Amino acid sequence: MSIKFYKKLAFFIAGLFFTVSLSAQPLAENAPSTSAGGTISGRVFSKSQKVPMEYASIALYRLPDSTMVTGSITDKEGHYKFTGLKNGKYYMLVTFMGFDVHKVKDIVIESGKSDVKLPIVYLQPNSNTLKAVDIKAQQSMVSYQMDKKVIDVTQDMMASAGNAIDVLQNVPSVSVDLEGNVSIRGSTNFTVLIDGRPSILDGNDALQQIPASSIQKVEIITNPSAKYSPEGVGGIINIILKKEKRNGLNGVASGSLANPNTYQGNILLAYRKGKLNYNLSVDGMNRDFGMNVNTQYNTLGADTTNFRYSTIDGHRIRKGYGVKGGIDYYINDNSTLSLQGRIGNYGFNSDNMSRQHNFTYPATVDSYFNSTSNSDRWGNFYSLQGDFQHKFNDLGQKIEALVFYSKRTSDDKEGQTDYPTNADWVQTGGVSDRIQSSTLDTTTEFRVQLDYTLPIGEKGNLEAGLQSRINRDAGNYDLQNFDTATSQWVYNQNRSSIISFDRNIYAGYVSYKNMLGKFGYELGFRGEYTYRSVNDSTGTSTFTINRFDLFPSLYLSYQFKYNYQVYASYSKRIQRPRGWDLNPFPRVIDQYNVRVGNPELEPEYIDSYELGVQKVFSKAFVSMEGYYRKGRNNITRIVELGPDGILYRTSTNLDSDRSMGVELMVNSKMNKWLNLNLTGNVYHYSLQGSVSGDSVTSQSTNWSLRGTISANLSKTFKIQWQGMYNSPTATVQGSRKGFFFNSLALRKDFIDNKLNVTLSARDIFGTAKFDFISTGTGFYTHTVMQRQWPIISLNVNYIINNYKQKRQKQQNDSNQENSEDMGF
């Protein structure tokens, strides 16, 4: 590392602590206002979810002439405050997109009562109820905040019987393919958080393990602020789990069955007494679905073309269980200590029966054989987490600390056996080829984080923090070939390896946000020093990186009249290669395909820009977002034909890629019983670089359309339809055809809505097909994949104890806190 690097690191850390030290002057809880006159303060919460509402608009009016005095917007904790007010009578209007306007009356500032602290204001979601006493209000499924989309998944009947992957199939900005691979606006590189904390498993593995019935909402953060780790080009998916904080025992139990052999269940229990709150959850699943895959491989030799046609009938099975428990200790009104632990097991199994026909042109080879292949990956994981929060006052000054440790082990075994047949697929001999491999992998992570929040002035807010992330990954890969002559397994030393991967990241951030009238802004900087090393089993090959990166972020917003809001944002992000991307030793998929890592991969960087506008009508919500992403050192998976005729699958850094698009969303209540949610996304994608010394350029205009129609046929009977279409798209080495699928769900409520039964069918007409072509120097592949259809599932959900489903008629005193109305 150069002296220049150390200077940058020292300068950043010194600047961070200098900024914090200048601003971190404690605010006395009862300190007088810095402005002459009285003050009005309070907080705003969501009525249905009992969570603070950020960016709610507050307008203060003076009586008797209803002159507007001033306005404000709530902070992350829902706080607002007005200062410098004259004696007199006032009223206040509280508004937020997708929620009813709330009026707070009879506010009086007078001598001896100049500091007025109002009760919590609870905003009610927009709804037109048939009978307010009996019908639960229908909240908008998606709400937009300046830096994220918040999706209330409890209203998605289709996702009730699945996992987090199923939930994301109807989430704006997110796409899910047939194998459950998730992408955000075309990028498969994103970060998964659970309740704002790191997940034990990576990406899709983490999402596969979370039951949909335990999810309260999902946050999609496409341009995260400097407070968040910049990892993940696509942004962050934050899964918010259901919680219960009322006194006594409460909970929810859920179970589901689906064809052919899919079942899952989970139970959430919470018990609170005094200063202690206990929680326990248990979940388990077995998801089985069939898959049919047809593939054509063509490889071109010096004077011969090799053809291989393959038809696979297989099953994909995901299974696992988890137990999570924790305790919250409310030390006093301002301090909370929490301890959480999770332990579990996960597994993935793939069993395939295939028929393969190999021939050449000119004709010298013409062979047929059957193959059986199996991939069995399972592992154990556990995590421990401690959180501490201390609030210095009611204005938002606080400090938060996190200590997190996790360990994951995995054992991956793969095998394939080939049997020669005739053209009628009748076996003609014994084993012609047989291989098996095993991979033992252990991953540990240790994370320490400290965050500090300090209000400055009336509306300003400073946040700063430090974080350390230490990762260790060790893998042992063995390959054995079967000797048909001796009927013995032979260890293949050339295809076996032991590798270790270490990555330590030390980060610090500072951000400041404020409001100038109706104009809001937030500016942040994050610095990260990364040390990475990849070592092979011989110790002779070591690949290291020492790097310091600076990640700025900027948010701007302006609130217009008539519920219009315009916002813009920018953030710089990074995608670091994962361990298996860097492993230089080949891993055999089958006798024709090998996966190999690239230890010289560099991180991918991206500059992300967004511009959006939102408008709330009396019965509809409309949002339009434009976005532009420019990346460099794009990490791209490619296929190369080796001199041995084998296709090698690896990753490389391409020069750059760009995507520019527009996303439109409409959420409309058509009438008292019918709701429509429509999302459309159009973007142009281009990529350029070189593969095997050849320049490549790829570009395409892609679009997708999703719609959900929900109807309340009666007070206790609902129906929901979903449809989605993804357009054709181009990749660096090929193209993918478009596909469409739709689903239907019925839900019936019993026992005062405590028991809910949902019947759903996915991909009703079997139209969800994955059709992909890949081409390169000397090869051509065409793959068509279709999952078993339709998937019929039955889900049962039961609320334990005194969860309140009915709502009381809203009165002017609804700003009084009602702890009994908080449920799962």
Side-chain angles (χ1 to χ4, degrees):
M1 291 177 286
S2 66
I3 295 177
K4 184 178 180 181
F5 161 76
Y6 283 110
K7 287 182 177 179
K8 287 183 177 179
L9 179 61
F11 177 78
F12 174 79
I13 295 176
L16 171 65
F17 283 101
F18 180 71
T19 304
V20 174
S21 64
L22 283 180
S23 305
Q25 302 299 322
L27 296 180
E29 192 163 305
N30 298 315
S33 169
T34 57
S35 302
T39 65
I40 296 175
S41 62
R43 300 180 74 186
V44 178
F45 274 57
S46 164
K47 175 67 175 178
S48 60
Q49 298 179 6
K50 293 296 185 299
V51 294
M53 298 190 66
E54 187 178 9
Y55 303 117
S57 298
I58 317 290
L60 185 67
Y61 297 86
R62 184 179 178 87
L63 292 173
D65 56 0
S66 294
T67 302
M68 182 175 176
V69 179
T70 185
S72 181
I73 291 181
T74 56
D75 64 13
K76 185 168 61 175
E77 299 295 331
H79 290 284
Y80 64 89
K81 185 176 183 179
F82 301 113
T83 61
L85 301 174
K86 297 179 179 179
N87 289 352
K89 295 183 178 180
Y90 299 85
Y91 69 89
M92 192 171 70
L93 295 182
V94 185
T95 61
F96 190 86
M97 288 171 290
F99 290 75
D100 292 335
V101 177
H102 186 95
K103 185 175 182 179
V104 181
K105 300 186 295 183
D106 301 327
I107 305 172
V108 179
I109 293 179
E110 57 188 2
S111 300
K113 190 184 177 182
S114 60
D115 294 327
V116 178
K117 186 175 181 180
L118 298 174
I120 294 176
V121 172
Y122 288 96
L123 291 187
Q124 178 72 36
N126 289 142
S127 61
N128 289 321
T129 56
L130 297 174
K131 292 183 179 179
V133 174
D134 298 322
I135 303 297
K136 182 182 177 180
Q138 180 73 20
Q139 181 177 343
S140 173
M141 182 177 177
V142 182
S143 61
Y144 281 66
Q145 298 180 14
M146 185 170 67
D147 59 344
K148 59 191 171 187
K149 305 179 186 70
V150 182
I151 300 92
D152 179 7
V153 303
T154 59
Q155 301 180 48
D156 188 355
M157 291 186 286
M158 213 71 66
S160 61
N163 56 24
I165 297 288
D166 301 301
V167 169
L168 293 172
Q169 288 183 354
N170 197 39
V171 168
S173 306
V174 176
S175 297
V176 182
D177 69 14
L178 297 184
E179 292 190 293
N181 297 309
V182 176
S183 61
I184 300 179
R185 289 176 176 168
S187 175
T188 57
N189 298 318
F190 56 87
T191 297
V192 174
L193 301 178
I194 300 175
D195 289 330
R197 302 305 189 190
S199 62
I200 306 173
L201 304 177
D202 295 327
N204 280 19
D205 286 339
L207 297 172
Q208 293 279 4
Q209 293 295 118
I210 304 173
S213 54
S214 67
I215 301 174
Q216 178 68 38
K217 59 184 178 180
V218 176
E219 296 179 346
I220 304 298
I221 312 173
T222 51
N223 255 4
S225 70
K227 182 176 182 177
Y228 294 97
S229 166
E231 192 81 28
V233 170
I236 294 173
I237 297 177
N238 187 22
I239 306 295
I240 307 297
L241 301 179
K242 294 176 179 176
K243 301 176 180 66
E244 177 60 74
K245 294 183 179 180
R246 291 173 300 165
N247 287 331
L249 177 67
N250 303 278
V252 59
S254 178
S256 66
L257 295 172
N259 64 313
N261 186 31
T262 295
Y263 49 88
Q264 70 178 41
N266 71 286
I267 183 168
L268 302 156
L269 295 174
Y271 177 76
R272 180 169 181 177
K273 184 176 182 180
K275 293 186 175 184
L276 294 176
N277 183 52
Y278 307 89
N279 63 83
L280 176 69
S281 67
V282 181
D283 60 80
M285 72 164 184
N286 187 91
R287 294 168 63 87
D288 185 348
F289 60 88
M291 183 76 74
N292 178 265
V293 184
N294 291 281
T295 305
Q296 174 188 348
Y297 295 88
N298 298 349
T299 58
L300 180 63
D303 54 4
T304 304
T305 303
N306 300 278
F307 296 88
R308 180 162 63 97
Y309 290 87
S310 172
T311 299
I312 300 175
D313 290 312
H315 275 266
R316 308 288 190 270
I317 302 174
R318 288 192 178 272
K319 52 191 174 182
Y321 71 85
V323 178
K324 180 180 179 181
I327 182 171
D328 301 317
Y329 175 50
Y330 302 96
I331 302 171
N332 51 46
D333 292 341
N334 295 327
S335 300
T336 304
L337 177 65
S338 301
L339 297 175
Q340 298 285 340
R342 178 170 172 80
I343 187 171
N345 175 278
Y346 67 97
F348 173 80
N349 180 266
S350 173
D351 288 309
N352 300 312
M353 296 287 295
S354 65
R355 295 176 173 179
Q356 298 188 28
H357 178 203
N358 297 339
F359 61 95
T360 61
Y361 182 84
T364 57
V365 175
D366 191 8
S367 62
Y368 297 83
F369 59 91
N370 290 332
S371 292
T372 61
S373 62
N374 174 270
S375 176
D376 189 14
R377 178 168 63 95
W378 63 271
N380 300 303
F381 62 85
Y382 69 88
S383 71
L384 298 171
Q385 177 177 311
D387 294 89
F388 175 77
Q389 181 185 92
H390 176 72
K391 298 179 180 179
F392 294 94
N393 51 47
D394 291 336
L395 302 178
Q397 185 186 8
K398 64 181 179 180
I399 189 170
E400 299 171 282
L402 162 73
V403 177
F404 175 84
Y405 176 80
S406 70
K407 183 174 183 178
R408 179 186 65 183
T409 61
S410 66
D411 187 352
D412 187 353
K413 291 181 170 61
E414 297 186 35
Q416 179 172 318
T417 305
D418 298 335
Y419 304 91
T421 73
N422 58 26
D424 295 323
W425 307 109
V426 177
Q427 186 173 327
T428 59
V431 174
S432 61
D433 190 56
R434 192 176 184 186
I435 60 173
Q436 68 177 17
S437 66
S438 67
T439 303
L440 297 175
D441 190 76
T442 301
T443 301
T444 60
E445 178 182 357
F446 180 70
R447 181 178 301 209
V448 179
Q449 183 172 324
L450 184 67
D451 299 290
Y452 177 71
T453 303
L454 176 68
I456 298 177
E458 293 183 21
K459 303 174 184 178
N461 201 58
L462 174 72
E463 291 183 304
L466 296 171
Q467 184 186 84
S468 174
R469 307 199 302 272
I470 300 174
N471 294 269
R472 299 284 184 267
D473 194 346
N476 189 340
Y477 174 71
D478 288 333
L479 177 68
Q480 299 182 68
N481 297 95
F482 187 74
D483 189 335
T484 56
T486 62
S487 298
Q488 298 290 324
W489 287 103
V490 179
Y491 176 74
N492 190 331
Q493 184 174 358
N494 295 328
R495 295 296 195 188
S496 301
S497 68
I498 299 175
I499 193 167
S500 63
F501 169 71
D502 296 335
R503 180 160 57 205
N504 301 336
I505 300 174
Y506 305 97
Y509 76 90
V510 60
S511 68
Y512 179 73
K513 62 181 177 182
N514 206 337
M515 293 291 302
L516 301 175
K518 296 184 178 181
F519 173 73
Y521 65 91
E522 179 177 350
L523 176 64
F525 294 94
R526 184 184 185 92
E528 293 197 344
Y529 163 65
T530 303
Y531 170 79
R532 187 198 81 189
S533 68
V534 182
N535 301 282
D536 66 12
S537 55
T538 66
T540 58
S541 298
T542 301
F543 304 89
T544 61
I545 281 183
N546 290 285
R547 183 189 299 271
F548 179 78
D549 296 296
L550 188 62
F551 301 95
S553 64
L554 175 66
Y555 296 87
L556 305 172
S557 69
Y558 191 84
Q559 185 75 39
F560 291 91
K561 293 182 178 180
Y562 311 113
N563 284 329
Y564 275 106
Q565 185 182 38
V566 176
Y567 55 92
S569 64
Y570 163 79
S571 69
K572 181 181 177 181
R573 300 192 58 74
I574 188 174
Q575 180 64 38
R576 297 180 175 94
R578 291 170 289 185
W580 65 270
D581 286 321
L582 302 166
N583 190 343
F585 290 93
R587 295 185 60 182
V588 176
I589 302 173
D590 54 41
Q591 58 193 28
Y592 306 102
N593 295 271
V594 171
R595 180 185 297 119
V596 59
N598 178 3
E600 296 182 353
L601 275 179
E602 295 183 1
E604 174 183 350
Y605 296 92
I606 191 165
D607 294 294
S608 177
Y609 305 83
E610 293 186 7
L611 176 65
V613 60
Q614 304 168 11
K615 167 63 178 175
V616 177
F617 299 91
S618 59
K619 296 183 179 181
F621 169 84
V622 179
S623 172
M624 184 172 67
E625 289 184 330
Y627 57 91
Y628 175 72
R629 296 194 306 206
K630 179 181 179 181
R632 60 183 176 90
N633 287 348
N634 182 267
I635 299 176
T636 305
R637 297 181 185 178
I638 61 171
V639 180
E640 296 178 309
L641 179 63
D644 52 5
I646 295 177
L647 295 176
Y648 288 85
R649 303 174 185 275
T650 186
S651 299
T652 188
N653 289 112
L654 296 185
D655 292 345
S656 63
D657 70 337
R658 292 175 174 83
S659 91
M660 180 170 61
V662 176
E663 188 173 53
L664 177 68
M665 178 173 177
V666 178
N667 194 333
S668 175
K669 190 172 185 64
M670 309 297 289
N671 52 45
K672 293 182 178 180
W673 58 273
L674 186 64
N675 289 274
L676 170 66
N677 185 283
L678 189 65
T679 302
N681 185 27
V682 180
Y683 68 95
H684 180 78
Y685 179 77
S686 63
L687 184 148
Q688 62 183 24
S690 62
V691 177
S692 301
D694 298 327
S695 296
V696 293
T697 300
S698 174
Q699 59 180 346
S700 62
T701 299
N702 314 288
W703 61 278
S704 63
L705 185 65
R706 275 184 293 193
T708 301
I709 299 176
S710 303
N712 298 324
L713 304 182
S714 71
K715 296 179 182 179
T716 60
F717 187 44
K718 302 176 183 179
I719 185 171
Q720 184 183 85
W721 173 87
Q722 290 180 358
M724 185 192 76
Y725 176 77
N726 277 355
S727 74
T729 185
T731 66
V732 66
Q733 287 185 296
S735 62
R736 190 209 69 211
K737 290 186 178 180
F739 63 92
F740 165 81
F741 72 90
N742 68 133
S743 305
L744 188 68
L746 302 172
R747 170 172 162 168
K748 176 67 175 176
D749 299 332
F750 303 91
I751 317 177
D752 277 340
N753 293 336
K754 290 184 178 181
L755 177 66
N756 317 125
V757 179
T758 304
L759 179 66
S760 63
R762 294 179 178 273
D763 192 18
I764 299 173
F765 304 114
T767 55
K769 292 183 178 181
F770 184 84
D771 194 328
F772 180 79
I773 292 176
S774 179
T775 61
T777 303
F779 76 91
Y780 167 91
T781 66
H782 181 198
T783 301
V784 179
M785 178 187 301
Q786 184 169 28
R787 191 171 63 178
Q788 174 183 337
W789 63 276
I791 302 295
I792 308 295
S793 61
L794 178 68
N795 181 76
V796 179
N797 190 73
Y798 181 72
I799 304 300
I800 300 172
N801 210 346
N802 59 343
Y803 171 62
K804 298 287 185 178
Q805 289 286 75
K806 293 185 179 182
R807 290 184 179 271
Q808 307 243 341
K809 188 175 180 180
Q810 300 300 308
Q811 302 289 345
N812 289 335
D813 63 349
S814 62
N815 58 349
Q816 298 296 323
E817 187 170 0
N818 179 10
S819 61
E820 286 298 312
D821 197 31
M822 181 177 180
F824 282 89

